[in-house]
C-alpha cells in the first residue's frame, strides 16, 4: 500500500498593522482588523503566522497574538521584532526584512507560504512583494479586505494574488541585479565572453529558479555538466526552493544487481548480502536534487523504475512490498545522443520524453576560444588553493599558452578536465609560484603528444576517410596519402577557418617563405583529392578569416 500523503501546512508572513490592527475592549471584535481577520477565513487555514513588528509595537503584537488564539486556536503565532526605526525608509525596511528571510528555515516540500501585504506601510508592502517575486520567499501573496460596500464585516474576505512586475520599472532593476548575480554564480564567477554560452547560462538561470521539472544537460565529456548541476542546486538552495540535499551518481559506475539497490534501495534479506535496509539514492534526495550523470548508461529495468519515480514520486525498493515516496528534482547529464539510443532500442522513448522538457547542450571548450583566457585565470586560482601557495604566470608565459590554446593545435579533447590538469601541472612546476615560458612550453609539448592522432591503420582513420571520400575512393588511396590526409582532415575539423587550419599545418615551412598564403596551399592540397573546405570541416562559408 502507498504511504498516506502528509498534510501540507500553510505559513503566512505578515507585518503588524499599527493602524489597521488596532482595537480595544469588546468593540474590537466588531472592527475589521486585517491580521486577525486573515485567521478567520473559512476556506483558509493558517497553521502558523510569522507576525513581524517594530520594537515599539511589541505590546500590541502580543494582544493580536492573544486574540488570534481565541478565534483560531489551530494557528500558531510567532512574534518577531524587526530593527526598523523608520518604516518609510526603503533601504532600512528592505534590509531588515531581507536579513530575516535569509535566516528563516524554509521547508517548501512540507509547507505552503503566503505573504500578507495588506498591513504595514506601502514601503513594507513593496519590500514584501520584492521578496516574493525574487523567490527569496518561496510563496504567493495574499490580500485581505473588509468586504464589498454595504457588506463590510470584521471577517471580510481574502484573495491570493499575483502582481505584474513590469509595472514597477524602478523595482525591476533590483531583480535584474539579482539575475546578474545568479548568472555569475552559475559560471563560478568567470567573466565569460562567448555570446552563445552566456545566452545558454541566462536561460538555465531563468528555468532553474522558476521550475522543478527535470533538466537534461548534454555535451562532451569534461564540458562542465557536473559542476553546473552543483551550481544549479546551490542557486536553488540560496533561493529557498529546495531544502533537501544534492545527491549525485555517475550511472556508468553501476554494475549488475547492485544498480537497483543503489538507486532505489533494498530491504534486509531481499538478496544475499542484504544484511540491513538501504534507503537508496533516490530516497536520500527527497526534497533536494538528484543528479544522474551519464544517464544513458542505465539499464532497461532502472530506466522503467526511474520513469515511475518521476511521474508518481514513489517507487518500490528491492525486496519491499510497500512503496516509499521521494519528491526530488532530477538533473540528468549525458554525452550521448539519447534520441539515437531510442532509435536503437537502448533508451526508453517515454523516459526521454519525460526528462528532456528542458535540454541544454554545453559546448566543448574549443568552441569557446574567447573564454579560455578567463578560465585560465580561474584555474590558476584553483591550483593556488590546491597547492597552498599563490601561483602566477608571467605575461610572456600567458600569451604563449593562449596562442597555443586558441589555435587549431589546441584540441582540448577532455575539455575543462584537460585545462584543469594542464594548469595544475604547470603550477606544480612553477618555482617560487612564478610560471615561466619554459614551464609552459614543456606543458604544450605534453599536450601535443597527448592529442597526437592515432596511426593511419586505426579504425577511426578509416572511418574519417570513408566519410569524406566514400569507402571506394578511400580504399584506393596509398597508405602514405591515407596517413597524411587523415591528419589534415582532423586539423580542419578542429579549426575555425581554412586559414587557421593552414597556419597549423604549415607552421614550420611558412617561416621560410617570403610570401605566405596558407589557406591557398591547403585549398590546393584538398583539391588533389576532389575535396573542399566544406567537405572536410562540415562548415560552409568560412574559407578564410
Amino acid at each position: 500500500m502507498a504511504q498516506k500523503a502528509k498534510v501540507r501546512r500553510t505559513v503566512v508572513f505578515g507585518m503588524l498593522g499599527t493602524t489597521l490592527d488596532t482595537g480595544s475592549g469588546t468593540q474590537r471584535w466588531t472592527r475589521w482588523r486585517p491580521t486577525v481577520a486573515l485567521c478567520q477565513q473559512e476556506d483558509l487555514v493558517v497553521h502558523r503566522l510569522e507576525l513581524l513588528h517594530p520594537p515599539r509595537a511589541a505590546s500590541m503584537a502580543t494582544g493580536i497574538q492573544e486574540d488570534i488564539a481565541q478565534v483560531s486556536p489551530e494557528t500558531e503565532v510567532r512574534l518577531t521584532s524587526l530593527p526598523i526605526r523608520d518604516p518609510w525608509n526603503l533601504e532600512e525596511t528592505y534590509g531588515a526584512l531581507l536579513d530575516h528571510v535569509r535566516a528563516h528555515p524554509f521547508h517548501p516540500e512540507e509547507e505552503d507560504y503566503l505573504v500578507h501585504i495588506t498591513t504595514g506601510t506601502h514601503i513594507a508592502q513593496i519590500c514584501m512583494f520584492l521578496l516574493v517575486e525574487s523567490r527569496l520567499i518561496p510563496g504567493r501573496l495574499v490580500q485581505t479586505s473588509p468586504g464589498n460596500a454595504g457588506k463590510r464585516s470584521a471577517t471580510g474576505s481574502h484573495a491570493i494574488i499575483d502582481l505584474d512586475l513590469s509595472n514597477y520599472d524602478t523595482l525591476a532593476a533590483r531583480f535584474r541585479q539579482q539575475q546578474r548575480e545568479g548568472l555569475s554564480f552559475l559560471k563560478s564567477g568567470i567573466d565569460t565572453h562567448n555570446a552563445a554560452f552566456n545566452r545558454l547560462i541566462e536561460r538555465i538561470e531563468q528555468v532553474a529558479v522558476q521550475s522543478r521539472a527535470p533538466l537534461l544537460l548534454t555535451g562532451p565529456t569534461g564540458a562542465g555538466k557536473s559542476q553546473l548541476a552543483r551550481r544549479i542546486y546551490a542557486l536553488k538552495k540560496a533561493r529557498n526552493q529546495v531544502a533537501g540535499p544534492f545527491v549525485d551518481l555517475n550511472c556508468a559506475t553501476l554494475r549488475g544487481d547492485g544498480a537497483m539497490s543503489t538507486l532505489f534501495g533494498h530491504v534486509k534479506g531481499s538478496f544475499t548480502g542484504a544484511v540491513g535496509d538501504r534507503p537508496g539514492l533516490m530516497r536520500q534526495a527527497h526534497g533536494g536534487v538528484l543528479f544522474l550523470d551519464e544517464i544513458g548508461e542505465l539499464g532497461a529495468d532502472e530506466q522503467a523504475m526511474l520513469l515511475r519515480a518521476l511521474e508518481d514520486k514513489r517507487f518500490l525498493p528491492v525486496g519491499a512490498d510497500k512503496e516509499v515516496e521521494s519528491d526530488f528534482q532530477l538533473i540528468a547529464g549525458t554525452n550521448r545522443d539519447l534520441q539515437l539510443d531510442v532509435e536503437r532500442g537502448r533508451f526508453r522513448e517515454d523516459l526521454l520524453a519525460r526528462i528532456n522538457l528542458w535540454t541544454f547542450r554545453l559546448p566543448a571548450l574549443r568552441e569557446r576560444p574567447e573564454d579560455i583566457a578567463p578560465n585560465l585565470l580561474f584555474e590558476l586560482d584553483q591550483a593556488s588553493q590546491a597547492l597552498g601557495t599563490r601561483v602566477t604566470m608571467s605575461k610572456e608565459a600567458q600569451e604563449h599558452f593562449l596562442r597555443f590554446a586558441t589555435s587549431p593545435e589546441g584540441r582540448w579533447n577532455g575539455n575543462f578536465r584537460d585545462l584543469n590538469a594542464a594548469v595544475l601541472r604547470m603550477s606544480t612546476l612553477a618555482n617560487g609560484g612564478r610560471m615561466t615560458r619554459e614551464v609552459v612550453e614543456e606543458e604544450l609539448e605534453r599536450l601535443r603528444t597527448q592529442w597526437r592522432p592515432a596511426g593511419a591503420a586505426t579504425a577511426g582513420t578509416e572511418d574519417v576517410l570513408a566519410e569524406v571520400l566514400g569507402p571506394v575512393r578511400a580504399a584506393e588511396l596509398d597508405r602514405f596519402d591515407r596517413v597524411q590526409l587523415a591528419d589534415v582532415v582532423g586539423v580542419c575539423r578542429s579549426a575555425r577557418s581554412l586559414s587557421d587550419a593552414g597556419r597549423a599545418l604549415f607552421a614550420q615551412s611558412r617561416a621560410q617563405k617570403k610570401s605566405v598564403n596558407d589557406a591557398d596551399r591547403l585549398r590546393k592540397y584538398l583539391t588533389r583529392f576532389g575535396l573542399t573546405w566544406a567537405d572536410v570541416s562540415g562548415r560552409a562559408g568560412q574559407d578564410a578569416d
Side-chain angles (χ1 to χ4, degrees), residues 257 261 265-278 317-321:
D257 296 336
S261 175
H266 66 249
V267 297
K268 180 179 178 180
S270 56
F271 55 85
T272 303
V275 296
D277 291 348
R278 182 180 186 180
V318 177
D321 56 7

Side-chain angles (χ1 to χ4, degrees), residues 238-467:
R239 301 285 179 90
N240 297 307
Q241 293 182 329
V242 293
F246 178 83
V247 179
D248 65 320
L249 172 70
N250 188 321
C251 298
T253 64
L254 296 177
R255 292 291 183 273
D257 296 336
M260 294 288 281
S261 175
T262 299
L263 283 169
F264 306 102
H266 66 249
V267 297
K268 180 179 178 180
S270 56
F271 55 85
T272 303
V275 296
D277 291 348
R278 182 180 186 180
L281 296 182
M282 287 195 179
R283 200 168 178 186
Q284 291 178 18
H286 177 66
V289 170
L290 176 65
F291 175 55
L292 295 182
D293 198 10
E294 303 305 338
I295 193 172
E297 300 296 331
L298 283 180
D301 292 340
E302 290 79 25
Q303 291 178 34
M305 288 274 285
L306 174 59
L307 178 62
R308 171 80 191 286
L310 291 173
E311 292 182 338
D312 300 338
K313 303 188 186 305
R314 56 170 58 98
F315 53 88
L316 200 65
V318 177
D321 56 7
K322 180 187 296 185
E323 290 183 325
V324 297
E325 293 183 353
S326 184
D327 187 4
F328 56 84
Q329 180 173 9
L330 176 70
I331 301 179
T334 184
N335 62 0
R336 294 166 55 161
D337 185 340
L338 294 184
Q339 186 58 53
L340 184 60
D341 283 352
V342 167
E343 295 171 3
R344 293 175 175 175
R346 297 182 55 182
F347 200 81
R348 292 181 64 104
E349 184 175 13
D350 49 3
L351 178 57
L352 179 59
R354 187 70 179 81
I355 67 175
N356 77 344
L357 174 64
W358 297 108
T359 301
F360 302 101
R361 178 189 176 274
L362 273 64
L365 181 58
R366 63 173 173 266
E367 296 176 48
R368 302 165 48 196
E370 60 269 65
D371 286 343
I372 293 180
N375 275 282
L376 172 62
L377 298 179
F378 174 78
E379 295 295 348
L380 278 173
D381 287 338
Q382 297 295 104
S384 296
Q385 295 179 27
L387 298 173
T389 182
R390 182 62 181 166
V391 180
T392 61
M393 294 182 78
S394 68
K395 183 178 180 181
E396 181 186 16
Q398 185 172 336
E399 291 176 348
H400 186 50
F401 181 86
L402 290 176
R403 275 195 300 271
F404 168 86
T406 58
S407 74
E409 278 192 285
R411 299 189 178 184
W412 302 114
N413 299 331
N415 295 291
F416 288 97
R417 290 176 184 168
D418 279 357
L419 181 61
N420 173 270
V423 174
L424 185 57
R425 285 192 293 262
M426 292 188 294
S427 299
T428 303
L429 298 176
N431 291 326
R434 183 68 170 173
M435 198 182 300
T436 62
R437 180 185 173 114
E438 289 71 26
V439 171
V440 170
E441 183 55 40
E442 181 180 341
E443 177 60 28
L444 299 191
E445 284 303 315
R446 183 182 290 108
L447 291 174
R448 289 187 182 102
T449 301
Q450 177 181 326
W451 296 333
R452 185 167 294 147
T458 64
T461 295
E462 298 297 337
D463 290 344
V464 167
L465 295 181
E467 181 182 341

Side-chain angles (χ1 to χ4, degrees), residues 67-247:
D67 285 350
I68 291 176
Q70 294 187 50
V71 300
S72 181
E74 68 270 25
T75 301
E76 174 191 4
V77 180
R78 294 182 182 177
L79 303 180
T80 300
S81 175
L82 295 182
I84 301 175
R85 293 172 299 178
D86 181 3
W88 294 98
N89 184 297
L90 176 60
E91 182 177 357
E92 180 183 2
T93 302
Y94 185 79
L97 286 169
L98 180 62
D99 290 342
H100 175 72
V101 167
R102 283 180 169 170
H104 187 85
F106 289 93
H107 301 287
E109 73 281 4
E110 301 173 0
E111 299 175 334
D112 291 321
Y113 299 102
L114 297 174
V115 174
H116 190 204
I117 61 165
T118 305
T119 53
T121 64
H122 294 321
I123 292 297
Q125 293 169 5
I126 290 173
C127 292
M128 287 292 208
F129 165 79
L130 289 171
L131 293 170
V132 173
E133 186 67 23
S134 64
R135 303 297 297 169
L136 289 170
I137 298 179
R140 297 171 294 169
L141 304 177
V142 60
Q143 187 173 35
T144 53
S145 65
N148 299 327
K151 296 182 180 181
R152 302 173 73 86
S153 69
T155 301
S157 60
H158 78 282
I160 307 296
I161 59 175
D162 291 318
L163 297 180
D164 184 4
L165 182 60
S166 63
N167 295 326
Y168 301 85
D169 293 337
T170 301
L171 301 180
R174 292 175 177 265
F175 298 111
R176 288 193 293 269
Q177 174 62 27
Q178 185 178 44
Q179 183 186 41
R180 286 193 292 269
E181 292 174 356
L183 296 177
S184 178
F185 184 82
L186 290 179
K187 295 189 294 184
S188 302
I190 302 173
D191 186 19
T192 55
H193 305 296
N194 183 272
F197 180 75
N198 287 339
R199 286 194 299 271
L200 173 71
I201 294 298
E202 182 177 348
R203 184 64 69 207
I204 291 175
E205 189 270 348
Q206 183 180 4
V207 171
V209 300
Q210 296 290 340
S211 173
R212 295 190 75 246
L215 303 178
L216 178 60
L217 305 179
T218 69
T221 298
K225 297 185 290 293
S226 297
Q227 183 180 17
L228 180 58
R230 289 182 178 276
R231 304 296 284 186
I232 290 173
Y233 166 76
L235 180 64
K236 295 178 75 72
K237 184 81 170 178
R239 301 285 179 90
N240 297 307
Q241 293 182 329
V242 293
F246 178 83
V247 179

